Amino acid sequence: MMTTIRNLGIQPYQAVWEQMKNFTSSRNETTCDELWLLEHPPVYTQGQAGKAEHVLNPNEIPVVQSDRGGQVTYHGPGQLVAYVLMDIRRNHLGIRTLVSYLEQILLAVLETYHIKGAVRCGAPGVYVDDKKIASIGLRVKNGCTYHGIALNVAMDLSPFAGINPCGFAKLEMTQISDYMATANIADVSKLFTDAFISRFNH
């Protein structure tokens, strides 16, 4: 079954979160999986089991308590967010396998820019030179996922200093534009979509 791709532009976090929950609760065994590609205005999102002490100094940026896995992270313009609305039972996938596949897709996108990424056991996401470039946080409900990945493309990274990203103190963040100045959301979004379709739609 083919995945429906939706390019949503810049959207407020809370509204899209509600739409994801509604989509997931109303879908059935014949509903197509969807991939939503977008950016968010500045927002910190706290994972379901996120610890308040990892939010250090949010300043004027709102903090939203989410229901995804993982700890606190930051979303802002210039970061590609891809929400994976997938029936993993129908796709015969476990959640750890899906996370691994998403990491592989992210690594493939980085490889296009000649950036060598790496993954870490027990710390989902993708890292470059010990700095984090992409985060993964999912929620599974009735065998279906929502939430997804956030890949730093060409953004203001300074708000990450207001938190312990993903619960790790002093974890430095990086982005594609630090290695390839011409990187932009549109190109990276297409690369991610193509790699996602190649992995899952066959």
Side-chain angles (χ1 to χ4, degrees):
M1 187 176 289
M2 298 297 288
T3 301
T4 300
I5 310 297
R6 301 193 188 279
N7 291 283
L8 303 178
I10 298 179
Q11 298 287 338
Y13 181 83
Q14 199 96 28
V16 176
W17 178 26
E18 291 299 325
Q19 290 163 17
M20 285 192 290
K21 289 191 288 186
N22 291 340
F23 176 89
T24 302
S25 63
S26 63
R27 67 180 299 168
N28 58 40
E29 63 275 3
T30 65
T31 304
C32 286
D33 295 332
E34 297 199 0
L35 179 69
W36 296 0
L37 300 147
L38 61 149
E39 299 169 74
H40 287 306
V43 62
Y44 293 116
T45 66
Q46 182 69 282
Q48 192 170 27
K51 297 178 179 177
E53 63 260 31
H54 293 310
V55 181
L56 308 174
N57 184 17
N59 290 317
E60 302 298 314
I61 298 174
V63 181
V64 176
Q65 180 67 50
S66 174
D67 62 347
R68 61 164 173 77
Q71 297 285 331
V72 66
T73 194
Y74 169 73
H75 299 301
Q79 179 192 69
L80 175 66
V81 175
Y83 289 135
V84 181
L85 302 153
M86 180 181 289
D87 185 334
I88 57 174
R89 284 188 301 200
R90 186 173 65 203
N91 286 280
H92 308 294
L93 290 173
I95 189 64
R96 289 184 180 177
T97 302
L98 175 58
V99 168
S100 178
Y101 284 171
L102 291 173
E103 288 173 335
Q104 290 170 29
I105 290 167
L106 289 162
L107 290 170
V109 171
L110 295 177
E111 184 68 30
T112 305
Y113 292 97
H114 306 290
I115 301 170
K116 184 165 179 54
V119 298
R120 293 181 178 178
C121 183
V126 175
Y127 302 79
V128 179
D129 299 329
D130 290 327
K131 299 177 182 179
K132 194 164 194 178
I133 197 167
S135 302
I136 299 176
L138 295 163
R139 174 76 191 269
V140 183
K141 188 172 184 180
N142 299 326
C144 298
T145 64
Y146 58 106
H147 296 291
I149 69 97
L151 173 59
N152 303 335
V153 178
M155 63 186 299
D156 176 8
L157 293 174
S158 63
F160 281 105
I163 58 173
N164 290 329
C166 306
F168 293 99
K170 296 185 170 63
L171 176 62
E172 290 187 69
M173 306 298 288
T174 190
Q175 57 188 331
I176 295 176
S177 64
D178 288 347
Y179 301 87
M180 177 67 72
T182 57
N184 62 77
I185 286 284
D187 291 346
V188 175
S189 180
K190 184 177 188 312
L191 288 168
F192 184 90
T193 301
D194 290 348
F196 186 94
I197 290 171
S198 176
R199 164 58 71 178
F200 293 111
N201 285 4
H202 53 71

